[in-house]
Amino acid sequence: AQSVTQLDSQVPVFEEAPVELRCNYSSSVSVYLFWYVQYPNQGLQLLLKYLSGSTLVKGINGFEAEFNKSQTSFHLRKPSVHISDTAEYFCAVSSPARQLTFGSGTQLTVLP
Amino acid sequence: DTEVTQTPKHLVMGMTNKKSLKCEQHMGHRAMYWYKQKAKKPPELMFVYSYEKLSINESVPSRFSPECPNSSLLNLHLHALQPEDSALYLCASSQDRPGGFQETQYFGPGTRLLVL
């Protein structure tokens, strides 16, 4: 069984400040982790994914995430956010049945 | 091209109506998915098709009827829905290679459904 916990439901941050969105997972099999972003009234867009190899994964729009097996975490970071980064962010883990288990989501609000 | 298209964008229907949602992809993907997303919640998996065959049905009520006429097209037929079925319905696709649960699912923009 797999599960994902996103520790913060809402993260407000000022423009140009750094941000970290936290994600912890549990899985009994090999781990494949994803971060998706959902802008208002849109579908989900892949930001980045961890499959294997380097634990630091770079994604689109300046986001990166670090896979930490000992802490079972996959936190998402950006060094300087923009107003346009305001969106809902979902962490997800994939199962052998190709099912994505999503976390509850984190609403990132970038303030001017 | 990593686009999944969905029509219509918005749909309002009464509880006695019959309507259909349509999803299309031209990426050569052989797995297609329907998700339901309520406001401020993550998507919930409803159905998975693999090579045009239904492989997963997450105990969805029979008033939702999926159909996969070919490898590019996925429909969701709706009949006698309830107001609590109002939600954003998302379609996704992935390659579906053997052992491929590391594959990326590509999502469409969704159909926002309101049941009156």
Side-chain angles (χ1 to χ4, degrees):
Chain A
Q2 298 164 114
S3 67
V4 175
T5 302
Q6 290 184 244
L7 298 159
D8 306 296
S9 60
Q10 298 195 49
V11 173
V13 63
F14 286 105
E15 195 174 16
E16 297 183 9
V19 70
E20 178 180 84
L21 306 184
R22 297 182 292 168
C23 172
N24 286 91
Y25 69 90
S26 68
S27 176
S28 55
V29 296
S30 298
V31 175
Y32 300 100
L33 293 158
F34 303 78
W35 274 100
Y36 282 88
V37 60
Q38 186 173 32
Y39 298 104
N41 300 312
Q42 294 189 27
L44 276 70
Q45 180 182 6
L46 180 72
L47 273 179
L48 49 79
K49 59 185 177 184
Y50 172 78
L51 304 180
S52 63
S54 173
T55 57
L56 185 62
V57 181
K58 292 194 183 297
I60 62 170
N61 301 342
F63 283 93
E64 62 182 32
E66 185 155 18
F67 172 66
N68 187 319
K69 189 173 181 179
S70 62
Q71 297 189 7
T72 61
S73 67
F74 190 53
H75 300 333
L76 181 70
R77 301 186 183 101
K78 186 169 182 178
S80 175
V81 293
H82 303 288
I83 297 284
S84 59
D85 292 323
T86 293
E88 188 85 21
Y89 291 78
F90 292 101
C91 182
V93 61
S94 180
S95 78
R98 294 177 179 76
Q99 291 178 265
L100 279 177
T101 300
F102 288 93
S104 55
T106 297
Q107 172 65 43
L108 173 64
T109 302
V110 181
L111 306 166
Chain B
D1 182 11
T2 56
E3 190 177 25
V4 176
T5 59
Q6 290 186 245
T7 54
K9 284 190 179 4
H10 302 275
L11 180 62
V12 180
M13 59 186 292
M15 289 190 283
T16 58
N17 291 157
K18 284 186 183 180
K19 296 285 184 183
S20 296
L21 309 185
K22 181 177 173 181
C23 172
E24 201 161 1
Q25 57 86 15
H26 296 287
M27 296 179 275
H29 290 173
R30 302 311 296 268
M32 296 186 78
Y33 311 76
W34 279 116
Y35 289 85
K36 173 183 177 180
Q37 186 181 26
K38 301 285 270 186
K40 304 295 184 189
K41 296 289 186 186
E44 297 173 9
L45 184 65
M46 300 174 72
F47 302 104
V48 180
Y49 272 84
S50 175
Y51 287 81
E52 293 112 70
K53 286 186 171 33
L54 184 64
S55 62
I56 295 176
N57 176 341
E58 291 287 359
S59 303
V60 179
S62 60
R63 56 185 184 269
F64 294 91
S65 175
E67 179 197 18
C68 190
N70 60 58
S71 59
S72 300
L73 196 54
L74 185 67
N75 298 320
L76 186 63
H77 303 297
L78 314 172
H79 173 54
L81 293 194
Q82 303 296 309
E84 59 265 29
D85 296 321
S86 299
L88 181 68
Y89 288 84
L90 293 163
C91 174
S93 70
S94 68
Q95 286 188 318
D96 200 12
R97 291 168 296 193
F101 62 105
Q102 67 272 41
E103 296 164 3
T104 299
Q105 290 187 23
Y106 294 90
F107 285 80
T111 293
R112 192 162 298 281
L113 174 67
L114 177 62
V115 182
L116 299 175

